Amino acid sequence: VVMQTLNALGIPVVTSRETTFFESMEVMDVFSLLHVLDNPRQDIHLAAVLRSPFYHFDENDLAEIRCAHPDVPFHEAVIHASSSGLQPELQTRLIEALAQLERWRTRARSKPLADVLNEILDETGYADFVLALRGGEQRRARVEAIVDRARQFESFGRPTLYRFLRFIEDLAKRAVDIKAPPPP
C-alpha cells in the first residue's frame, strides 16, 4: 500500500521484492520471441512464446501438440502438428502462429531490429496489453527499453539478431539492469 501510494505521487520506489528488468514477465516474453525469431529450434523459448500473450495457447494446447508427436523435439512436434494430429481449431491457430513467426523472422533478417520490434508490438497490441496489467506503465516502459536498446545496438558494427541476443545475455549475466525510464 505504501509503495502504491508513493508511486501514485510520482515518487519512485524500489523494494527487495521488485523483479529485476530481466525477470519481468514482459521482458521474458519479448526475449523468448526474439530467440525464436533467431532460431526456431529452441523448444523452451518456442513453448514460452506460444503460451505468452502473443498467442495464448494454454497448457492443454501444448500438451495436445506434444502428445500428437511425442517422439520428436518440441519444435518438430509443433511443425508436424500444424499439418496433422490436432483438433481443427487448434491446428488452424498453430498454422497462423507459425506463419506469423516466419514473417517476423524474415523481417528481422532484412530490417533494423527496433523497427521489427515496433511492428510486432503494433501488430499484436502487446505493449498495450502490458499497459493494462498491474504496474502497466512500468511494464510498458520495460518493453520500450528493449526497443531503445535494440536501436542503440544498431549503431554498432554488423548488428544481427543473434549478436543482439548475446549482448543482452551478457548484460543479464553481469547483472547489468537495463533501466526503463520512469513512467510519466
Side-chain angles (χ1 to χ4, degrees), residues 101-172:
L101 287 168
E102 187 56 39
R103 281 193 310 274
W104 293 341
R105 185 174 297 112
T106 300
R107 287 183 206 164
R109 289 184 192 129
S110 62
K111 294 176 79 173
L113 179 58
D115 294 346
V116 174
L117 276 170
N118 277 323
E119 290 173 12
I120 290 169
L121 295 172
D122 288 344
E123 189 175 330
T124 62
Y126 186 81
D128 293 329
F129 167 80
V130 297
L131 185 61
L133 298 175
R134 183 172 187 206
E137 289 180 2
Q138 186 64 33
R139 290 176 183 274
R140 185 172 181 149
R142 286 184 187 121
V143 171
E144 290 170 359
I146 297 169
V147 176
D148 290 342
R149 188 58 70 148
R151 194 164 313 285
Q152 291 169 355
F153 188 78
E154 290 163 6
S155 66
F156 302 152
R158 297 184 6 217
T160 64
L161 178 53
Y162 175 80
R163 287 180 179 193
F164 177 70
L165 289 168
R166 299 298 82 75
F167 171 71
I168 295 298
E169 286 173 359
D170 183 55
L171 291 178

Side-chain angles (χ1 to χ4, degrees), residues 35-54:
H35 278 281
V36 169
L37 296 182
D38 179 53
N39 178 358
R41 295 175 175 231
Q42 297 189 51
D43 292 346
I44 293 171
H45 288 297
L46 180 57
V49 167
L50 292 176
R51 277 276 286 149
S52 77
F54 288 110

Side-chain angles (χ1 to χ4, degrees), residues 19-29 139 142:
T19 60
T20 68
F21 181 87
F22 294 105
E23 294 171 333
S24 65
M25 175 210 71
E26 60 279 1
V27 169
M28 290 192 295
D29 285 348
R139 290 176 183 274
R142 286 184 187 121

